Amino acid sequence: MGRIPCCEKDSVKRGQWTLEEDNKLSSYIAQHGTRNWRLIPKNAGLQRCGKSCRLRWTNYLRPDLKHGEFSEPEEQTIVKLHSVVGNRWSLIAAQLPGRTDNDVKNHWNTKLKKKLSGMGIDPVTHKPFSHLMAEIATTLAPPQVAHLAEAALGCFKDEMLHLLTKKRIDFSSSYTVGGYTTPVPPPNPSVEPTLLEEFNGEETIQKIKMGLSRAIMREPSPVKGWGPMTNGEPDDNSFLMCEMYPMTIDQGYRYGDPSVYANDGEGSTWSTCTGGGGGSGAVEEHDTGSRGHLLKGKEDESEEFESVKGGNKEDAGVFGSECVLWDLSDDLMNHIV
DNA sequence: AAACTAGTCAACCGCTCGGTT
DNA sequence: TAACCGAGCGGTTGACTAGTT
């Protein structure tokens, strides 16, 4: 039982690499290549495991690596690909020249996950938390829905409070995440300055509970399942929020065609939801119960909205998707505002 | 100024897979 | 066909740093 270790653990050095070790490894590989990792440390005069050398080379020393911050298009690519392939970091990294799977994984775990959570999006399923709950709620009898709301609040309380307080304050100027500015103002800007001042933890939680419970009970059945699309037709390999939620069809943004994931440098691969010809009727007056409250009405009065609706679509990515960020019911928002 | 906390990221670990013998 | 081996992958850990109390 057990595997033969790749090296004698007692005789190898571990931990951080020194500059001298880096130089030894780099110069050896420059001369001899990376054919046999087990022999490399021995031949290069390093007290390291071959595996450790490979890792050091592939994750840090390789000359074609990019070091530093991830760009906005890179972040978009990661999020989009993650929504389709999950934690296949090497696959995702392959679409990002100069980035390693370790880089991508670290960036996802430390930054992107939090960004999505903070926006009320489940980083595992890439669905808004509220929609996840709504999906579950459709399978429950009404009395159970209240319990679901209670339980969900326990799970998502932090995200919701964050969303309902800090994020809204951020909106006073504009909301920028992942380099994408969302020029959508809060539903009622006049109350914005007092939001934090008036914030009271317990009271707010009670309001959230009530609003969430009501919102879920009023959540209409999905139009379709999470029907992904390829070339405009549903396919089984990806999620497509705007298919399920009419509001997003009109003004929202969705993940682009899953078949086009190459980082071709042509800017955003996010695409807008055109609604497949459905047009502006997607958000109707009667839909005020749960979704689309923000866009409905804003369309009439907000210059910023026009900029989104009009020529600024390229500026909104997954992080700038107001339909996701603000996908809270009127009931819920009214309790808070 | 010191102690504590949270965030970041390089490195390690164990496992799987594919090629070779 | 089975055993072995090298390489790669994804999850996890821990050292370091910056920010906060």
Side-chain angles (χ1 to χ4, degrees):
Chain A
M1 187 101 173
R3 213 183 133 76
I4 299 169
C6 66
C7 50
E8 294 295 330
K9 293 196 174 182
D10 293 343
S11 61
V12 298
K13 191 182 164 200
R14 297 168 65 183
Q16 295 286 90
W17 280 65
T18 64
L19 189 60
E20 186 189 0
E21 288 177 311
D22 282 347
N23 290 336
K24 278 185 181 176
L25 182 59
S26 294
S27 59
Y28 180 85
I29 288 174
Q31 280 186 295
H32 302 94
T34 59
R35 263 184 293 280
N36 189 333
W37 284 111
R38 186 173 283 222
L39 294 177
I40 284 176
K42 192 178 172 186
N43 295 342
L46 289 162
Q47 299 285 97
R48 292 276 182 176
C49 167
K51 201 170 178 176
S52 177
C53 292
R54 181 176 58 80
L55 220 59
R56 183 63 178 171
W57 173 256
T58 55
N59 285 342
Y60 193 80
L61 295 175
R62 252 169 52 200
D64 58 325
L65 288 181
K66 270 190 215 171
H67 298 287
E69 292 291 299
F70 277 72
S71 68
E72 295 142 13
E74 284 177 321
E75 289 192 335
Q76 286 178 41
T77 303
I78 293 170
V79 174
K80 183 171 68 177
L81 286 173
H82 188 273
S83 75
V84 178
V85 303
N87 295 359
R88 305 281 299 277
W89 306 119
S90 59
L91 214 153
I92 296 171
Q95 304 302 322
L96 299 168
R99 301 295 188 184
T100 69
D101 54 346
N102 214 31
D103 280 339
V104 172
K105 182 172 57 183
N106 282 333
H107 192 64
W108 173 264
N109 285 327
T110 58
K111 306 271 180 63
L112 297 180
K113 251 165 88 174
K114 288 171 192 166
K115 282 182 183 176
L116 290 176
S117 291
M119 293 163 59
I121 300 171
D122 176 22
V124 177
T125 63
H126 291 255
K127 297 179 188 181
F129 289 135
S130 58
H131 290 180
L132 287 171
M133 287 186 283
E135 284 183 30
I136 297 168
T138 60
T139 69
L140 300 176
Q144 294 176 292
V145 173
H147 296 301
L148 168 66
E150 181 83 18
L153 188 67
C155 295
F156 304 136
K157 188 176 72 180
D158 289 347
E159 284 81 4
M160 295 186 75
L161 291 178
H162 184 66
L163 181 70
L164 294 168
T165 55
K166 181 178 184 302
K167 291 297 177 187
R168 299 195 62 205
I169 296 300
D170 289 346
F171 261 92
S172 60
S173 54
S174 63
Y175 183 74
T176 302
V177 139
Y180 286 79
T181 300
T182 303
V184 179
N188 187 352
S190 63
V191 301
E192 185 68 20
T194 61
L195 192 63
L196 259 192
E197 294 166 19
E198 291 177 0
F199 175 71
N200 173 306
E202 277 309 306
E203 187 185 348
T204 302
I205 287 170
Q206 289 307 315
K207 287 176 180 177
I208 291 172
K209 283 181 182 176
M210 289 175 59
L212 183 58
S213 183
R214 283 200 221 166
I216 287 174
M217 288 197 215
R218 294 176 59 178
E219 191 73 32
S221 297
V223 177
K224 297 178 185 177
W226 283 96
M229 294 192 352
T230 300
N231 297 326
E233 295 300 324
D235 109 3
D236 292 323
N237 299 321
S238 66
F239 297 130
L240 183 56
M241 294 175 189
C242 60
E243 266 293 282
M244 185 169 177
Y245 299 100
M247 178 202 76
T248 67
I249 290 176
D250 204 25
Q251 285 94 10
Y253 296 84
R254 66 171 174 83
Y255 302 159
D257 180 352
S259 64
V260 189
Y261 289 133
N263 185 16
D264 57 10
E266 297 215 348
S268 173
T269 51
W270 303 105
S271 57
T272 58
C273 290
T274 61
S280 59
V283 181
E284 299 292 343
E285 285 295 315
H286 67 264
D287 194 30
T288 57
S290 61
R291 298 181 292 263
H293 66 279
L294 177 67
L295 298 178
K296 185 179 72 63
K298 287 295 156 202
E299 186 170 353
D300 299 325
E301 64 194 39
S302 167
E303 290 179 16
E304 289 87 350
F305 178 85
E306 285 301 322
S307 70
V308 172
K309 192 184 170 194
N312 261 1
K313 288 179 179 175
E314 299 79 22
D315 290 336
V318 63
F319 300 122
S321 175
E322 69 279 9
C323 63
V324 172
L325 181 63
W326 290 99
D327 190 54
L328 295 169
S329 71
D330 279 331
D331 290 325
L332 181 53
M333 294 305 292
N334 290 341
H335 274 94
I336 305 303
V337 175

